[in-house]
Amino acid sequence: MLELTSSYVDSLAPNAAAIKNGQGLVKKKSFVELNRSENGELLFGQCSGSGKSNYVCSVDFVVPEKPVARCTCPSRQFPCKHALGLMYAYCEGLEFQIAPVPEDILSKREKVEKREETKAKQAEEGSEPKPKKVNKSALKKKITAQLEGLDVLEKLILSLIRGGLATIDSKTIKTINEHVKQMGNYYLPGAQNELRRFALLLSRGQDHEESYTYAVEQLTRLHAFIKKGRTYLTAKQEDPELARDHESTIEEWLGHAWQLAELKEVGLVTEGAELLQLAFYSYDDAARQEYVDLGYWLEQATGDIHRTVQYRPYKAAKHLREDDSFFEVAQLPLLYRYPGQMNVRVRYDEMLPRAVTGADLAAVSANAQRSYAEALKKAKNELKNPLGEKNPVLLLHAARLGQTEGGQYTLTDESGQHLVLENIPSLPQGTTELLPYLAPEWQEDIAVLVMLEHLSDQGRLVAQPLTVINDAGITRLLY
Amino acid sequence: MSTALLQELNQELRRLYIAGSDLAAGDFRLKRLLPQFQQLGERSPVFKRLGEGISSLVEQAEEQGTASAVKLQDLALLLGSILYTQGSTVPLAEPGKLASRPILLKTNLSYRKLAEVQQALSTTGSGRYEIVKDAYEQGVFQDLRLLPAAIAALRDPYSELAEFARDAILPAYGKPITAFLLEGFDPSGGKSESRKLHVIERVSGAEQMDFICQAAENGSDEVRTTAIRLLAGYAGYEAALLNFSMEKKKPIREAAFRALAASETVQAADRLYEAFSGKDIELAASALSESERLDARIVRDFAADLEKTPEVKGDKKREESLRTRLNHYQLAVVGKYSEGLTEIYSSILQQHSLYTSLGWIELVDWAANYIGSLNTLEGLTLIQQVEEKNHRYLPHAFQLAFRLWSPAVLYEQYAEPLANQLDATPDKGTKQREQKLLQVIEDLVIQRSYQTYDAVWRPSSSRYYAISSLEPVSPEEIADCWDTRWLRWSLEKNKPELVSAFARPGESLIQKYLLRKLNNNPEFRNKYASLLLMGLERVGAELDVRQEALMAALEDKRNNNCYVLDIYVFDLLCGLPSSFLPRLEAVLPTYRYEAGEQLSYVIRTLSQRGEQ
């Protein structure tokens, strides 16, 4: 018998509105027929909609970790509200008549099976899909264009610096924005984003003093990017294999979108990994013109804090699934890692959830770093790299939470070293104001996930607490 | 490492970025920093490199093209990297224990659920109230992370949202919420602070009364008046209330009077009576209207003052002051009933000519309303006596008679004498009387309503739509409460809306009359056309007759600026057979706005039905 919880159905939904609409269909009794197959693997039914005929929808659990939703409605959201509604109806215990599996579902299942079979056969025969052939002359041309683009970018940047930020007016911003467009032609989407970020900082107006500080930082970052990018591209141009650098993040900065197959090829995969999400949030990145969903996860075997990133371009945001907080342990047959040093980006395409156990919580605590001196040294190393992660996330063990008379919150390690906790500008939501609400057992001998930020105008490195973990559970302060 | 020196260099470089790197050559402030870097550079390679960077920046010859910019960038990049390793993590003072106020709430909701509510409570714009209300109903506010947002909602610029937080969201946390409200309480604040007091009183009651009393003494007027009102009913604070009732500020006194009105003690009653006898009469009167404490005394004084009327007549000044006083008595006893009051109001009706001559018509109105609501035959006789002199009271008398008399008597007493008079010599007064009668009958048989409908013609996001409409009371009620002769009477008076209401099956004459009226007045813009259609249904006209009448009205050229069709009309349209489709499609272009949407919907449904 199929077991479904509404929170699991929630997690399948592409966005919050779909959840509401799906539940709404059940509430309004729009389903005119609710059926399930004899063995319970298939839910199907009919739902009345605005059209004259009913929508026929089904959810197939024949492969439990990959439920397949099908519907005759024209929605581009997937699963659509009808399929979600069907599952909510099941969760709520509505009566589902037992009926034979419809013809078309059977034939669709068959097709999937066949596809799997051929895949398995191929794997058996060892005939892995052949690596894609790289068109070397085209790649060379692309590199030449990228180098040319870096020159154009540098020329613009240097002329801006010679004239001074104070002389930048709306006309200059227009020129910068024209360059933003050009960067696309030079195959430099990474440069495009960073230059747009610079233009946004200056066109935001109002508080010039603050935006100048960020603008100067952005200029030096662009400088470092141009220098490193040029060195890397020149070297790559001369390399007969034209291989990508899979250790640093430079390829991503230049705008390369790594494909899972490429990551696998260079060995950036782990088999049978288990991840536990410790924090999640979402923000609007105006420079990328995308919404970004960020999850921070602990890989239990290595103790690394990884990052899942989902970009949802403004133009396609309506049709993409919004990521959400994930409360179970993700068991992954294959975990793909992106190049990088700290909080590397990871991806997976198959996942089976399982409930969090006491052992998982103990593992969190065991993986928390106990010496702040060491942890911060590593973090600062990352921070000082101009193209490195500016908001490293660490899992720290805290002997206790504290507060100074002036009201500053602190984290203290076993050797007595303190770390100041503060809300950082990079996060959309404050969390420190929640600290006093924590019960005493959440204030001592705990693991805390923090995000760091260097406040350059004050010369201070501060941390915002994201999540507190003890043996009893996980208290998410952010999301 | 000298962080201060590095920070100083950072500031100088920032200055050059803003002013332009072309000005770097020979910059004296950088030059001044150079020796220190060179000195430190003898021991530390990092400072040496910085020193070299500075000197190459300041010592370059002018007009070197982009070199200055490149040098500035290189130096800033190096300095930036160094500074990133120097970030201080030390707190300003040695930390102590965390001042904690634990609250037992969970943190198990996902981003998508929380962020929506947080956004609704931190922005402005439409649709926020529904989000917050839904969230509250689903228990989303029991997540710890929404607590700060819930408290902040008391400050929301949309007052309904702030009041929802005050009345529902925050009280749901129970007593523990008090500590959080007390912590951020600002007695000099405005509405948001007064809402906090409401919540505190509601969840903690007597425990926090000392605090509320303090707020009543020291705070902004807004906070004080709220706090004073909240002290009502807490015996221990009556002395304070008595003091507040003496204050100079009017809003404070007003609040104190209202709070005292809830008290049971002699002192409170005496103080209110004192106020009612003095210059605070207005404040005291409105406070007393919510309490029964002083009713006996008030009624006694009311009667006594009323008797003074003949005395003061002619003295304008005394007339005016007595009239004001009588008005305040009225305010204090509004909505209350007692024998004393019945006597007072009866005597006013008996002497109505006295009061009318003084121009105190509102006094007679109150009396007529009060006596009318008693539903007694004596009362009816009294009002009828007044009515004979003044048509203004015909509605009062008629409505009361409608409740007390049988339908036949009512008809005979009101319709027949009027008809006789009209037949004889219709003077101006009789005409006016007739108008009044028609109006009061219409008020009784036709209900006006403003209702929200599930507007199926709209997209699902904005389905609920409020429409005002006219509807006759049910045919059963007409049959029970009204004499059958009223139908003829309405027809003679040529009142189609009354005819529609009184219509009953089997009157072919009436059907013809209504059809003719609809033909003359087909505009759906005013509600009478739909009333006529309802009348046709009452008279038992065949469905096809009514459908044809409806269609003809729709097609009439005068129907060119209808905004929305009545739900009755809309339902009738939905029931049309699909043979009407071509005619509907032909008229569609003349209908815009909601009516256009409604018609399109009808056409869509009809055509779908046609295909099946």
Side-chain angles (χ1 to χ4, degrees), chain B residues 389-439:
Chain B
K389 297 268 165 22
N390 193 341
H391 305 318
R392 183 185 176 89
Y393 299 101
L394 183 134
H396 297 82
F398 187 86
Q399 285 186 8
L400 186 52
F402 175 70
R403 291 197 292 271
L404 296 175
W405 289 346
S406 72
V409 177
L410 183 73
Y411 178 79
E412 282 151 18
Q413 291 287 326
Y414 275 90
E416 281 174 357
L418 198 63
N420 298 339
Q421 280 171 34
L422 281 171
D423 285 345
T425 42
D427 61 5
K428 202 175 150 208
T430 324
K431 272 271 175 239
Q432 271 179 3
R433 229 178 121 72
E434 189 191 39
Q435 282 310 313
K436 286 263 174 207
L437 187 59
L438 287 169
Q439 188 56 52

Side-chain angles (χ1 to χ4, degrees), chain B residues 53-269:
Chain B
I54 299 172
S55 65
S56 85
L57 187 58
V58 293
E59 281 161 16
Q60 62 181 320
E62 280 177 50
E63 299 300 323
Q64 269 195 334
T66 55
S68 69
V70 176
K71 283 174 184 165
L72 179 59
Q73 285 273 61
D74 282 341
L75 184 56
L77 188 58
L78 175 61
L79 178 64
S81 288
I82 298 168
L83 282 174
Y84 266 115
T85 65
Q86 297 301 306
S88 157
T89 56
V90 188
L92 292 171
E94 188 60 28
K97 249 183 111 54
L98 185 70
S100 86
R101 281 169 276 102
I103 184 163
L104 280 176
L105 293 174
K106 297 197 159 158
T107 63
N108 54 359
L109 290 179
S110 73
Y111 169 80
R112 288 199 299 218
K113 288 216 167 103
L114 294 171
E116 189 187 29
V117 185
Q118 283 172 331
Q119 205 199 352
L121 287 176
S122 59
T123 52
T124 52
S126 60
R128 300 188 300 132
Y129 185 81
E130 277 65 33
I131 293 175
V132 173
K133 199 160 163 269
D134 278 359
Y136 170 73
E137 279 160 11
Q138 289 169 24
V140 176
F141 278 96
Q142 290 301 315
D143 191 293
L144 173 67
R145 289 160 291 178
L146 286 184
L147 186 63
I151 295 175
L154 291 173
R155 290 196 301 270
D156 199 281
Y158 181 48
S159 63
E160 281 178 43
L161 234 171
E163 278 157 21
F164 185 67
R166 178 193 72 190
D167 299 334
I169 302 175
L170 290 172
Y173 290 113
K175 235 185 216 180
I177 192 70
T178 309
F180 301 99
L181 296 174
L182 291 177
E183 180 193 53
F185 186 76
D186 172 17
S188 59
K191 281 222 167 70
S192 66
E193 304 308 300
S194 91
R195 291 184 187 121
K196 280 183 191 167
L197 288 177
H198 272 287
V199 181
I200 292 172
E201 196 269 342
R202 188 154 156 205
V203 299
S204 289
E207 270 174 43
Q208 291 297 336
M209 272 302 136
D210 278 344
F211 173 79
I212 290 182
C213 190
Q214 267 174 27
E217 267 163 44
N218 319 296
S220 65
D221 283 359
E222 174 73 40
V223 165
R224 292 191 62 196
T225 49
T226 308
I228 291 172
R229 297 283 300 273
L230 292 172
L231 289 175
Y234 290 93
Y237 298 92
E238 194 168 292
L241 286 179
L242 288 170
N243 280 336
F244 291 133
S245 76
M246 308 286 199
E247 275 230 17
K248 220 171 170 184
K249 285 181 176 166
K250 193 173 155 188
I252 304 293
R253 290 204 308 278
E254 185 178 7
F257 289 137
R258 281 180 183 272
L260 283 173
S263 164
E264 303 279 316
T265 66
V266 182
Q267 287 89 337

